[in-house]
């Protein structure tokens, strides 16, 4: 979500309606070393200290609560009136006080007072605000506070009213400005940017929700109802502790002795032990989450997408295809705005990035062992993000923004930016990949089956399939591109692959999985991984470690888990009937990847993915968060490929 807040680091230095399409992309950037990126990052801190004054405000909301806001103002603001760029965050607007300037790192979300270096030098009034109930702001914090459709008085508030009141105050009582406001934020601040649109303040001209927290039954907390254990326990131990009084300090996060998350979570046992051994009832969100295992009214009220109508603000939604936290949020925020606001200037950027990997010191050139070419992050900052905000907040007519395409999407495999007038692209053709006998997968329907018409494996919750070879305390951001050869060798992972491709195959958009399965248990999870298998003679990359060899590398390019009990309804789960062939449909999130000539497309299917995802007992219980150790059992799972029971993936192929 959020954040990879489990490794929070504070980098603090002391004081002295257009839809026009452009198919011509700006020039490429050059390779940027990590050292060069860090040098530029530090140089920007010095620039900010030399060219910006720091102010702090206690901005009153309509109900009297005051929100702490740190504002950085260009030193020539008396002569030149700048627009305001607002970032509302639950992660601290600090450092506080007249001395330090805010250059903060959340490991995967490194950012400063500005979205990027270009905008810092162009000049804006950057306003960073602690949201209600966080750090030095008054009031009560509520995670993904539900939005209201009607307001009955000044005490009736939500995040959109707080955004409106903040904008109104800054325009009238803050630094001199040009009367225009923009908003941006990555991850949880991306959520506050999304709901900031609902303020519908007339001065809010441009907003960029980036990897926005959106719907916690499909991103962060869960994927298709399956709990993302390794990320969330770490996060909530750090972020979810109560704040009884105003504070400028973070709570100390959980430490895993030995750095081995797989072993740690095996020892922890069932999820019911989290409160007794770790949280001790102090984390409100954990208590709420475990009390609502299904997609009920609690979760539905925290989905902002139905409210995103009648918008007047230009929107640039940004996400990363290798974002292990909020890939869903970026794709579905864009789609919801597009569907409910015909004619609105609404754009999508999807790069090859990890969570927040497009911001500041990140180059975006490498994710794990995979190279994506010359600095995609620098390219985006310079040629997309900065021109977007400049056009709507500084120019008299947003002509530059009108030239931005509807969708700017990075194609991995070929490592190139592509532009489209819709996402998914209109030119895609739906084709069906069928699982076939002998570990094959292809576009041909399975014919007459000799033998059993299925493959099976024993799934043992006591010995789950690891999600990575790495020894790590929590979710690694690199797992999205990890080599899957370790999983291919497991007997509880079914592997299917095409023949060697004789021509390139480009997939663009979501994948619809339809698995035909049976189990000896009454519940099960199903994991599908889409993998690019490199030729055996692929040369190594000198930027990788010496023991990383790319010949035969099995790069995961997309993956998803489905909690089987939700196959027919996320509101009303139901058990499997042991031994009965059952359809399990679900969506695998979007990708844009070319499997090049000479490569293979591989699909792996498994039922455990630990400790990324919590273990399914494989015996149906009403609430897995309350399952006992005795509920967990081994089960034999079957995946069918017979003509009348053909497991399949419907993909979108770009000619």
């Amino acid at each position: 979500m959020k954040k990879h807040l489990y490794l929070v680091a504070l980098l603090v230095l002391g004081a002295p309606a257009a839809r026009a399409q452009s198919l011509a992309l700006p020039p490429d950037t050059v390779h940027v070393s990590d050292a060069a990126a860090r040098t530029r990052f530090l140089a920007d801190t010095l620039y900010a200290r030399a060219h910006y004054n720091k102010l702090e405000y206690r901005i009153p909301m309509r109900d009297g609560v005051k929100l702490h806001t740190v504002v950085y103002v260009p030193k020539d603001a008396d002569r030149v009136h700048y627009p305001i760029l607002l970032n509302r965050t639950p992660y601290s607007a600090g450092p506080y006080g007249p001395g330090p300037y805010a250059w903060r790192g959340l490991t995967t979300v490194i950012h400063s007072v500005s979205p990027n270096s270009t905008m810092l030098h162009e000049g804006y009034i950057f306003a960073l605000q602690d949201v209600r109930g966080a750090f030095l702001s008054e009031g009560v914090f509520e995670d993904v506070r539900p939005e209201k459709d009607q307001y009955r008085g000044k005490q009736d508030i939500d995040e959109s009213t707080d955004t409106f009141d903040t904008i109104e105050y800054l325009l009238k009582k803050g630094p001199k400005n040009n009367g225009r406001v923009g908003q941006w934020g990555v991850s949880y601040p991306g959520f506050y940017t999304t709901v900031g649109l609902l303020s519908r303040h007339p001065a809010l001209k441009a907003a960029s929700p980036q990897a926005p927290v959106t719907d916690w039954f499909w991103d962060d907390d869960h994927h298709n109802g399956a709990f993302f254990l390794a990320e969330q326990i770490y996060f909530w131990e750090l972020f979810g502790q109560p704040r009884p009084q105003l504070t400028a300090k973070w709570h100390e996060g959980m430490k895993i002795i030995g750095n081995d998350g797989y072993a740690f979570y095996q020892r922890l046992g069932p999820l019911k032990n989290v409160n007794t051994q770790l949280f001790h009832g102090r984390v409100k969100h954990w208590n709420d989450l475990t009390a609502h295992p299904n997609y009920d009214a609690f979760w539905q009220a925290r989905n902002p997408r139905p409210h995103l109508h009648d918008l007047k603000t230009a929107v640039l939604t940004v996400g990363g295809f290798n974002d292990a936290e909020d890939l869903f949020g970026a794709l579905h925020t864009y789609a919801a705005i597009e569907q409910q606001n015909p004619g609105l200037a609404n754009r999508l950027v999807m790069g090859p990035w990890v969570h927040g990997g497009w911001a500041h010191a990140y180059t975006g050139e490498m994710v794990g062992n995979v190279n994506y070419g010359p600095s995609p992050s620098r390219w985006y900052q310079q040629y997309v993000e900065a021109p977007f905000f400049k056009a709507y907040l500084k120019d008299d007519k947003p002509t530059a923004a009108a030239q931005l395409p509807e969708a700017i999407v990075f194609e991995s495999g070929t490592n190139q930016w592509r532009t489209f007038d819709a996402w998914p692209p209109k030119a895609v053709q739906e084709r069906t990949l069928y699982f076939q006998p002998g570990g094959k997968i292809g576009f041909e329907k399975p014919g007459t089956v000799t033998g059993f018409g299925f493959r099976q494996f024993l799934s043992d919750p006591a010995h789950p399939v690891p999600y990575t070879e790495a020894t790590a305390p929590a979710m690694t951001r690199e797992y999205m591109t990890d080599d899957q050869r370790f999983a291919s060798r497991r007997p509880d992972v079914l592997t299917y692959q095409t023949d060697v491709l004789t021509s390139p195959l480009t997939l663009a958009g979501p994948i619809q999985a339809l698995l035909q399965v049976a189990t000896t248990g009454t519940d099960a999870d199903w994991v599908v991984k889409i993998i690019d298998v490199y030729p055996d003679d692929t040369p190594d990359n000198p930027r990788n470690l010496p023991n990383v060899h790319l010949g035969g590398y099995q790069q995961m390019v997309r993956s998803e888990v489905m909690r089987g009990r939700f196959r027919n309804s996320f509101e009303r789960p139901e058990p499997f009937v042991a031994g009965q062939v059952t359809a399990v449909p679900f969506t695998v999130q979007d990708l844009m990847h070319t499997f090049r000539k000479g490569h293979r497309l591989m699909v792996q299917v498994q039922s455990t993915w630990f400790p990324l995802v919590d273990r399914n007992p494989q015996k149906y219980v009403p609430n897995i968060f309350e399952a006992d150790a005795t509920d967990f059992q081994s089960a034999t799972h079957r995946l069918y490929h017979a003509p009348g029971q053909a497991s399949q993936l419907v993909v979108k192929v770009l000619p």
Side-chain angles (χ1 to χ4, degrees):
M1 192 165 31
K2 307 168 216 111
K3 325 126 227 145
H4 284 171
L5 277 176
Y6 34 74
L7 296 174
V8 166
L10 296 179
L11 304 178
V12 178
L13 291 182
R19 282 278 167 79
Q21 299 302 308
S22 170
L23 296 180
L25 292 175
D28 291 336
T29 53
V30 297
H31 279 291
V32 179
S33 70
D34 292 337
R38 287 192 295 269
T39 298
R40 186 184 70 152
F41 184 74
L42 294 175
D44 282 346
T45 68
L46 300 177
Y47 181 89
R49 284 166 43 181
H51 293 85
Y52 285 79
N53 292 321
K54 181 181 180 183
L55 306 172
E56 297 192 52
Y57 296 88
R58 306 280 295 168
I59 298 180
M61 301 293 102
R62 62 192 62 187
D63 63 346
V65 167
K66 294 182 174 64
L67 304 189
H68 196 92
T69 309
V70 183
V71 180
Y72 298 85
V73 187
K75 290 185 176 180
D76 62 351
D78 285 338
R79 294 185 294 104
V80 180
H81 293 172
Y82 292 93
I84 298 168
L85 198 60
L86 176 64
N87 181 285
R88 305 188 67 239
T89 178
Y91 299 140
S92 172
Y96 307 101
Y101 276 49
W103 294 89
R104 306 168 296 160
L106 306 182
T107 69
T108 58
V109 185
I110 294 179
H111 57 98
S112 68
V113 302
S114 69
N116 63 58
S117 178
T118 299
M119 295 178 66
L120 179 73
H121 287 258
E122 288 178 346
Y124 290 80
I125 298 167
F126 298 107
L128 286 69
Q129 182 179 78
D130 289 333
V131 297
R132 181 180 291 255
F135 291 90
L136 292 183
S137 283
E138 298 173 353
V140 177
F141 179 79
E142 183 173 357
D143 278 299
V144 286
R145 190 187 306 273
E147 286 295 309
K148 301 177 183 295
D149 290 320
Q150 296 179 340
Y151 303 89
R152 294 181 294 274
K154 291 185 177 181
Q155 299 302 312
D156 216 2
I157 60 88
D158 56 22
E159 300 301 342
S160 65
T161 64
D162 282 356
T163 304
F164 187 99
D165 295 347
T166 297
I167 292 173
E168 194 75 0
Y169 184 96
L170 290 172
L171 288 173
K172 295 178 179 178
K173 298 182 180 180
K176 291 181 180 178
N177 58 80
N178 74 353
R180 299 182 192 178
V181 179
Q183 189 173 356
W184 72 285
V186 179
S187 193
Y188 217 147
F191 163 79
Y192 291 103
T193 304
T194 299
V195 294
L197 290 165
L198 304 178
S199 73
R200 299 181 176 88
H201 195 291
L204 185 62
K205 302 298 183 183
S208 183
Q210 302 181 4
V213 167
T214 300
D215 192 327
W216 277 350
F217 219 72
W218 282 271
D219 60 9
D220 289 321
D221 280 350
H222 308 85
H223 281 215
N224 289 315
F227 180 63
F228 256 46
L229 176 68
E231 176 199 2
Q232 293 305 305
I233 297 299
Y234 243 112
F235 176 75
W236 290 110
E237 169 66 16
L238 173 65
F239 181 75
Q241 299 291 340
R243 185 208 66 162
Q245 59 187 12
L246 304 187
T247 181
K249 296 182 179 179
W250 281 93
H251 173 77
E252 184 177 351
M254 180 175 67
K255 295 180 177 62
I256 289 182
I257 298 174
N259 207 44
D260 187 343
Y262 189 98
F264 174 84
Y265 288 108
Q266 275 191 316
R267 292 193 300 270
L268 179 65
L271 293 176
K272 67 183 302 182
N273 294 342
V274 171
N275 248 340
T276 57
Q277 297 185 29
L278 301 176
F279 291 170
H280 308 293
R282 295 191 303 264
V283 178
K284 179 181 182 300
H285 182 73
W286 177 257
N287 298 334
D288 290 337
L289 182 151
T290 56
H292 299 277
N294 309 323
Y295 193 62
D296 59 13
F298 174 84
W299 296 111
Q300 293 167 22
R302 285 158 176 78
N303 172 16
R305 289 176 289 159
H307 302 274
L308 294 171
H309 53 79
D310 299 311
L311 304 180
K312 305 299 181 185
T313 303
V315 183
L316 179 73
T317 303
V318 182
F321 281 127
N322 290 315
D323 184 346
E325 300 174 48
D326 291 300
L327 173 63
F328 177 98
L331 294 166
H332 289 267
T333 295
Y334 163 77
I337 294 173
E338 187 71 8
Q339 292 164 7
Q340 298 175 91
N341 299 272
L344 183 72
N346 178 44
R347 298 177 178 86
L348 175 69
V349 179
M350 294 297 298
W353 303 301
V354 298
H355 191 62
W358 49 90
H360 292 286
Y362 291 112
T363 68
E365 294 191 355
M366 296 286 295
V367 176
N369 300 317
V370 177
N371 190 333
Y372 292 106
S375 192
S377 304
R378 181 76 60 87
W379 184 91
Y380 153 77
Q381 293 170 15
Q382 187 173 354
Y383 295 117
V384 180
E385 185 176 44
F388 170 78
F389 279 113
K390 182 176 183 294
Y392 288 105
L393 301 183
K394 291 191 170 191
D395 295 348
D396 292 334
K397 295 182 180 180
T399 53
Q403 299 306 311
L404 287 175
E406 173 85 4
I408 304 173
V409 180
F410 191 89
E411 180 181 302
S412 55
T414 58
N415 289 354
Q416 61 178 328
W417 287 101
R418 303 283 300 272
T419 62
F420 304 100
D421 59 4
W423 183 260
K426 295 177 181 177
V428 295
Q429 300 170 356
E430 286 196 351
R431 299 186 65 187
T432 301
L433 283 167
Y434 294 95
F435 294 84
Q436 298 176 352
K440 296 284 188 179
I441 193 167
F443 293 115
E444 305 80 19
K445 289 184 178 181
T448 302
V449 174
T450 58
F452 296 107
F454 61 81
R455 293 174 68 194
Q456 68 181 30
F457 61 93
L458 178 68
S459 176
D460 182 1
H463 300 91
V465 179
Y467 79 97
T468 178
E469 285 186 291
T471 300
M475 183 180 73
T476 67
R477 65 183 186 181
E478 297 84 6
Y479 93 86
M480 300 281 279
T481 63
D482 273 355
D483 188 352
Q484 298 301 305
R485 280 179 283 198
F486 77 95
S488 297
R489 298 169 184 138
R490 296 264 312 201
D492 47 0
V493 176
L494 300 181
T495 298
Y496 301 80
Q497 62 181 334
T498 65
D499 294 330
V500 174
L501 297 175
T502 57
S503 60
L505 174 66
T506 300
L507 304 185
I511 296 172
Q512 300 301 324
L514 177 61
L515 304 186
Q516 299 286 351
V517 302
T519 174
T520 58
T522 50
D523 199 4
D525 291 347
W526 303 95
V527 178
V528 168
K529 300 185 292 189
I530 313 300
I531 296 162
D532 186 340
V533 183
Y534 296 10
D536 290 338
D537 59 355
T538 302
D540 291 341
N541 184 346
R543 296 182 67 170
N544 289 338
L545 294 174
N547 64 339
V548 175
H549 301 294
L550 297 182
Y553 193 91
Q554 296 177 6
Q555 179 199 340
M556 190 165 72
V557 295
R558 181 57 67 241
S559 54
E560 194 56 277
V561 58
M562 177 67 189
R563 182 135 286 174
R565 61 175 54 209
F566 297 120
R567 64 195 179 277
N568 294 322
S569 169
F570 287 97
E571 295 87 354
R572 294 175 295 279
E574 57 189 282
F576 287 84
V577 176
Q580 180 174 298
V581 180
T582 305
V584 178
F586 61 100
T587 300
V588 179
Q589 295 301 321
D590 302 34
L591 76 165
M592 177 77 184
H593 183 81
T594 291
F595 298 82
R596 291 180 292 171
K597 179 181 178 180
H599 290 228
R600 296 174 186 260
L601 185 153
M602 175 184 286
V603 177
Q604 292 180 357
V605 178
Q606 60 200 61
S607 285
T608 52
W609 210 17
F610 191 74
L612 185 67
V613 174
D614 72 303
R615 294 171 299 161
N616 191 316
Q618 304 187 145
K619 167 189 172 184
Y620 185 88
V621 295
N623 186 345
I624 290 179
F625 293 102
E626 298 176 356
D628 294 314
T630 55
D631 292 323
F632 288 77
Q633 62 183 23
S634 295
T636 297
H637 300 326
R638 291 177 175 177
L639 182 71
Y640 285 80
H641 55 256
Q645 301 167 330
S647 297
Q648 57 195 259
L649 304 175
V650 178
V651 298
K652 297 181 185 298
V653 177
L654 190 65

